[in-house]
Amino acid sequence: MTDAQETAADSSLRTTGGAPPDDVAPAPIPLLEPREGIPPVVASDDALAGVIAAFAAGSGPVAVDAERASGYRYGQRAYLVQLRRDGAGSALVDPVGCPDLSGLGEALRGTEWILHAATQDLPCLREIGMTPTGLFDTELAGRLAGFPRVGLGAMVENVLGYSLEKGHSAVDWSTRPLPEPWLRYAALDVELLIDLRNALEDELDRQGKLEWAQEEFAAIASAPPAPPRQDPWRRTSGMHKVRRRRQMAVVRELWTTRDQVARRRDISPGKVLGDAAIIEAALALPPNTQALTALPGFGPRMGRRQLEQWQAAVDRAKALPDTELPQPGQALAGPPPPRAWADKDPAAAARLSAARTAVSELAERLHLPQENLITPDTVRRVCWEPPKNPTPETVESALAGYGARHWQIEQVAPLLVRALTQSA
């Protein structure tokens, strides 16, 4: 890290205007208002065609956001898409009325998209035909610049000096018609995203981190969709309590049945049956619906048909032959948990300890989160199975093989070489 980077990094936590004198009350932070009012919701092909034409004719990057109905509906589909671009203004597009937005995505091809926490919105945008060719992630930019709070509201307040309305982020965005206060909230999410992007680009440039950010953004934009999780039922909350294979089979059967019901009814699985209820049934192995009713989560308010449905799932799991029961755990694709290293391989434990200390100290000097400097999983893998001859070249090759970006390799490889050789 250069002296210039050190000096610039120290300025990354500034808020606009600095601290007032002790005898002067801080000025109230103004509440952000839509510059052109709340745009109408676009829910027809004709209206969408107008938006496509306007945004194709706009200039500069485009601010994009999406609202989902997590906790209310099945899956993570988008129920509202917000956009803003110079020359086009703001738009609110309803993917229920306009389920195919590939024409809008095509009109914006080659344009930089600005998103906040891009990895959260890109999957649902991809489903409706919108995929960026290049992006700027304002949340990730804030992390790299060293801001301690990187939520959109905190970033807009600290960087631009405006306060965003709060209170509608977790509402049911599948509601139709959408209430005006929700639409106002949604429009404001993209109102200053372009201004925030420009300010963060300047800050990253001052800190000597702009190229780092650009590498990260390019990696996000080019990343393929995540593959489906293997055995997703194993992620049921409270699964650590389930020890026996027969009980695991009950969890699997109840989880699968719940997922089928939730998908059919287009409702969040947690609203069909809670994770805690699944675990209770697995541990108790109830023999009949009467015993099931006595368990938490299966109370008397649950209808008879529902109880019979869940009991049937339990019975199917209980009837499975031993050869069809799930195994106690998935095979680990990588090193064991670090807590087991001291017993399994003391030398590897020493390497990991030295590497973690060095990475933590560097992250602190660079004023960025440790996990953004290099993922903990990458450090573990390199320390568990290090190159036979840990030279700068071999360590850099190992890091690249695990997906580390060029800037990360440049910063971290010398530390890992020292950690691997000193602990040998």
Side-chain angles (χ1 to χ4, degrees):
M1 185 179 192
T2 66
D3 292 340
Q5 283 178 312
E6 289 274 12
T7 302
D10 289 337
S11 71
S12 68
L13 306 186
R14 290 193 310 264
T15 57
T16 55
D22 292 340
D23 59 344
V24 177
I29 299 174
L31 188 66
L32 184 62
E33 298 286 345
R35 279 172 272 194
E36 300 101 12
I38 303 173
V41 176
V42 173
S44 69
D45 290 342
D46 288 344
L48 178 61
V51 168
I52 292 173
F55 275 79
S59 60
V62 58
V64 183
D65 190 25
E67 305 294 348
R68 301 177 298 279
S70 303
Y72 297 94
R73 295 289 184 174
Y74 185 87
Q76 295 294 316
R77 66 171 291 188
Y79 283 94
L80 189 69
V81 175
Q82 309 99 282
L83 306 101
R84 185 173 181 85
R85 192 180 191 190
D86 288 345
S90 294
L92 301 177
V93 181
D94 179 5
V96 177
C98 302
D100 182 6
L101 298 187
S102 57
L104 180 57
E106 188 61 34
L108 297 173
R109 181 171 295 278
T111 300
E112 179 189 86
W113 292 23
I114 309 168
L115 299 104
H116 192 81
T119 54
Q120 295 182 20
D121 287 341
L122 286 178
C124 70
L125 290 170
R126 189 181 290 115
E127 285 182 0
I128 53 178
M130 296 184 66
T131 303
T133 52
L135 63 84
F136 189 106
D137 187 333
T138 49
E139 189 216 36
L140 181 52
R143 290 180 181 276
L144 294 176
F147 284 87
R149 297 168 59 226
V150 293
L152 181 59
M155 294 294 291
V156 167
E157 185 172 316
N158 289 340
V159 177
L160 302 177
Y162 283 93
S163 176
L164 285 179
E165 289 187 3
K166 300 178 178 69
H168 301 304
S169 61
V171 299
D172 181 3
W173 287 96
S174 68
T175 301
R176 292 297 182 273
L178 286 164
E180 183 173 320
W182 299 11
L183 295 175
R184 176 188 178 87
Y185 166 91
L188 289 174
D189 270 357
V190 293
E191 184 79 13
L192 291 181
L193 212 49
I194 297 172
D195 305 73
L196 181 60
R197 172 240 183 268
N198 293 338
L200 288 172
E201 181 180 59
D202 290 344
E203 183 63 36
L204 289 167
D205 194 28
R206 281 193 292 271
Q207 294 187 30
K209 299 176 181 175
L210 183 56
E211 289 186 4
W212 303 359
Q214 290 168 341
E215 275 194 67
E216 293 297 311
F217 302 156
I220 294 173
S222 62
R229 286 198 178 110
Q230 185 179 7
D231 292 346
W233 59 270
R234 292 184 184 271
R235 298 175 65 87
T236 304
S237 181
M239 192 68 193
H240 63 281
K241 302 176 185 176
V242 180
R243 305 291 185 184
R244 292 158 50 195
R245 293 174 63 200
R246 184 70 59 185
Q247 294 171 330
M248 292 178 187
V250 172
V251 173
R252 181 177 64 184
E253 198 65 37
L254 284 171
W255 188 98
T256 302
T257 302
R258 179 184 70 173
D259 191 69
Q260 292 168 349
V261 172
R263 184 189 296 269
R264 185 176 69 248
R265 294 172 55 191
D266 189 18
I267 189 172
S268 170
K271 289 188 175 296
V272 175
L273 186 68
D275 279 10
I278 290 178
I279 298 301
E280 290 288 344
L283 296 176
L285 297 175
N288 50 49
T289 55
Q290 184 177 356
L292 183 68
T293 307
L295 298 177
F298 299 93
R301 292 186 179 182
M302 187 173 284
R304 179 179 61 83
R305 291 182 62 183
Q306 286 180 293
L307 287 167
E308 290 175 349
Q309 170 183 259
W310 304 129
Q311 184 62 45
V314 173
D315 292 343
R316 286 194 297 272
K318 290 167 66 176
L320 286 174
D322 289 350
T323 54
E324 295 182 20
L325 296 178
Q327 293 303 314
Q330 295 170 298
L332 288 172
R339 63 179 177 273
W341 285 32
D343 292 331
K344 291 179 177 290
D345 190 337
R351 292 193 294 267
L352 181 62
S353 177
R356 280 176 161 176
T357 299
V359 169
S360 177
E361 291 174 350
L362 178 59
E364 188 172 345
R365 291 198 303 274
L366 293 173
H367 295 273
L368 52 79
Q370 196 170 316
E371 63 271 18
N372 290 115
L373 174 59
I374 191 74
T375 66
D377 181 67
T378 298
V379 175
R380 286 194 295 269
R381 289 174 183 269
V382 172
C383 290
W384 183 252
E385 292 184 351
K388 292 182 179 179
N389 182 22
T391 64
E393 293 74 20
T394 59
V395 172
E396 288 173 7
S397 176
L399 288 171
Y402 292 128
R405 258 70 76 188
H406 174 75
W407 75 269
Q408 294 175 316
I409 295 171
E410 190 176 62
Q411 295 293 323
V412 172
L415 306 180
L416 295 185
V417 171
R418 286 196 294 271
L420 297 177
T421 53
Q422 290 173 4
S423 304

